[in-house]
């Protein structure tokens, strides 16, 4: 679930995964009225998706200033939901090569654009992995790197843990497993 500003007013709006419908996975966008109510809503349907959208994360897909969203769509696909500023979204998809369990965004290559990292199971390597994708600025992402994790990768965040000004990748898993991937190493 996310809270933000999807339309042109200053009221907080909400997006959440609404499960599966007859046409595929759905997400609901509720437009806030500024009084705590959400009288207007939009339903987004992702056809041909047999799992609900999950792990919704903010991302800037372009330079228009509108709040866009990246969501785990299927086991190895992400749905990039590009906002037109009026809470209308169109979708692009990115395959990650890993069975995604979590996603995080940050400017991993220092070019001022939001990139993303996905973590999950890499069936071809027989273990858990992370995959970093770089934004070209037009809702297009280029694969930067895939690497192995020391344990299960169930959640991921990005933050500067060593004070060098670059976002590092922190991955948590079952049993207290923790991978810290410093920017210079990924």
């Amino acid at each position: 679930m996310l809270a933000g500003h999807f339309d042109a007013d200053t009221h907080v709006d909400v997006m959440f995964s609404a499960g599966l419908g007859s046409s595929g996975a759905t997400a609901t966008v509720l437009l806030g009225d500024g009084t705590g109510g959400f009288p207007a809503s939009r339903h987004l349907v992702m056809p041909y998706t047999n799992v609900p959208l999950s792990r919704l994360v903010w991302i800037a897909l372009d330079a228009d200033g509108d709040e866009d969203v990246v969501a785990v769509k299927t086991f190895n696909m992400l749905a990039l939901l590009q906002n037109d500023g009026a809470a209308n979204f169109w979708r692009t998809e990115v395959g990650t090569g890993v069975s995604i369990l979590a996603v995080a965004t940050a400017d991993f290559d220092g070019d001022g654009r939001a990139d993303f990292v996905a973590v999950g199971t890499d069936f071809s390597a027989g273990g858990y992995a992370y995959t970093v994708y770089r934004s070209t600025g037009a809702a297009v992402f280029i694969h930067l790197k895939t690497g192995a994790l020391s344990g299960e990768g169930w959640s991921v965040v990005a933050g500067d843990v060593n004070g060098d000004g670059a976002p590092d990748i922190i991955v948590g898993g079952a049993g207290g497993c923790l991978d810290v991937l410093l920017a210079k190493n990924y």
Side-chain angles (χ1 to χ4, degrees):
M1 177 177 246
L2 291 174
H5 302 282
F6 292 122
D7 54 9
D9 64 26
T10 60
H11 310 308
V12 172
D13 307 312
V14 175
M15 175 187 277
F16 60 93
S17 176
L20 294 175
S22 60
S23 300
T26 62
T28 298
V29 177
L30 301 174
L31 303 177
D33 65 6
T35 66
F38 296 91
S41 66
R42 300 229 164 71
H43 299 281
L44 310 173
V45 176
M46 307 294 149
Y48 313 113
T49 302
N50 58 0
V51 295
L53 295 175
S54 63
R55 296 166 182 86
L56 305 169
V57 178
W58 293 119
I59 191 169
L61 294 175
D62 48 32
D64 65 4
D66 300 325
E67 294 182 348
D68 306 310
V69 176
V70 60
V72 175
K73 178 182 174 243
T74 64
F75 299 112
N76 65 350
M77 295 291 291
L78 292 174
L80 306 176
L81 306 174
Q82 196 165 2
N83 185 1
D84 69 357
N88 299 306
F89 293 83
W90 62 92
R91 177 189 85 219
T92 1
E93 296 174 355
V94 174
T96 63
V98 297
S99 180
I100 305 165
L101 297 170
V103 63
T105 62
D107 181 9
F108 293 116
D109 61 358
D111 66 358
R113 295 186 288 254
D115 310 307
F116 72 85
V117 59
V119 298
T121 305
D122 182 354
F123 292 108
S124 65
Y128 289 87
Y130 69 94
T131 302
V132 179
Y133 281 81
R134 178 178 71 83
S135 172
T136 65
V140 175
F141 291 83
I142 298 170
H143 177 258
L144 276 181
K145 181 175 183 174
T146 297
L149 296 170
S150 65
E152 296 180 358
W154 289 92
S155 59
V156 63
V157 295
D160 182 10
V161 298
N162 62 352
D164 66 357
D168 305 304
I169 299 169
I170 304 97
V171 181
C177 176
L178 183 71
D179 278 283
V180 177
L181 307 167
L182 299 178
K184 63 182 178 186
N185 297 325
Y186 62 77

